[in-house]
Amino acid sequence: MRIDVVTLFPELIQGLCETGITGRAFNTGIFALQTWNPRQYTQDKTGRVDDRSYGGGPGMVMQVQPLADTLAACKAEGATGPVVYLSPQGRSLDQAAVRKFSQLPGMTLLAGRYEGVDERLIDQYVDEEWSIGDYVLSGGELAAMVLIDAIVRLLPGALGDPQSVECESFTDGLLDFPHYTRPPQIAGQSVPAVLMSGDHAAIERWRQKESLGRTWQRRPDLLERIQLSEQQQALLDEYIREQRAV
Ligand code: SAM
């Protein structure tokens, strides 16, 4: 997959290529990342890419020309797929959207700064707007990095064990079950006995029940969006009964 990012701060984005899963995926060619700085495409001799907001008020607005020319350059050099503007006014990013993006051959991300981008640029060049949450960041770079990280870990070969993706939160509409590692006892707390029983069917049942129970406790809104099987409903009912009995 190829990801292009239009940003005034390419060094922030490039950090993704240096560490962790995204760093390894970049170095092994699982995804390609290219950054484009609008300052290199502005026709303003002083390198400006922003100006005051019509109508007054505080803050600057990113201008159409530098961004339009950057997007054109990026396309001319092979960028493919939708142009996505990271914006607090976009649709809320979720795992389903990330999964769809991960199946594309490429996409171009536009990171805004200041008060954002001239609306005419959005109207003419942006295919989709996505938000990473109901709060306002200083710039779209962190949002772009969140999106890239979430996409890259779904690309084939990015994770050491591809099964990791299958049992994660949101994959089947539920939260993940709790995890434990050695030692079996610490500060008076034990690992649930079933996990050390070696009984794979019992472990699987426990995990499913915990996953359903956690979702019910922490994110009931997620449960409203999925249809539980009879077996899942029975497990959840059992979890709820146990909680109420405590
Ligand atoms: N004036 C804008 C508003 O109130 O909707 C906020 C602009 S914000 C200070 C600057 C840039 O940060 C935006 O253009 C966008 O690219 C990015 N940004 C801020 N919050 C974001 C969020 N929650 N999700 C995605 N991008 C965000």
Side-chain angles (χ1 to χ4, degrees), residues 185-241:
Q185 292 242 353
I186 190 160
Q189 289 183 293
S190 306
V191 173
V194 63
L195 296 180
M196 296 190 296
S197 67
D199 180 342
H200 296 296
I203 293 171
E204 181 50 31
R205 187 178 191 281
W206 182 88
R207 286 179 164 170
Q208 271 197 34
K209 192 161 101 177
E210 287 295 319
S211 173
L212 287 157
R214 291 206 144 193
T215 311
W216 170 73
Q217 274 178 324
R218 301 179 183 198
R219 292 291 305 275
D221 58 302
L222 293 179
L223 282 181
E224 283 164 21
R225 290 184 224 158
I226 55 169
Q227 180 73 44
L228 297 183
S229 68
E230 265 180 42
Q231 186 221 5
Q232 285 178 314
Q233 189 61 56
L235 277 177
L236 178 58
D237 292 344
E238 188 178 303
Y239 183 96
I240 294 171
R241 274 197 307 277

Side-chain angles (χ1 to χ4, degrees), residues 85-89 112 114-116 130-133 135-140 143:
Y85 175 43
L86 282 315
S87 160
Q89 301 179 26
Y114 318 120
E115 283 308 318
W130 286 90
S131 163
I132 63 160
Y135 41 82
V136 178
L137 303 164
S138 321

Side-chain angles (χ1 to χ4, degrees), residues 49 61-71 117-122 124-125:
V49 294
V61 178
M62 292 180 83
Q63 293 174 291
V64 172
Q65 178 277 314
L67 292 175
D69 286 1
T70 310
L71 287 168
V117 169
D118 187 312
E119 198 64 24
R120 294 165 296 181
L121 186 284
I122 300 173
Q124 198 165 347
Y125 295 91

Side-chain angles (χ1 to χ4, degrees), residues 3 18 27 64 90 114 133 143 145 157 161 172 180 183 188 193 227 237 239:
I3 301 178
E18 284 155 28
N27 287 319
V64 172
Y114 318 120
M145 290 166 78
D161 182 348
D172 55 2
Y180 299 86
Q227 180 73 44
D237 292 344
Y239 183 96

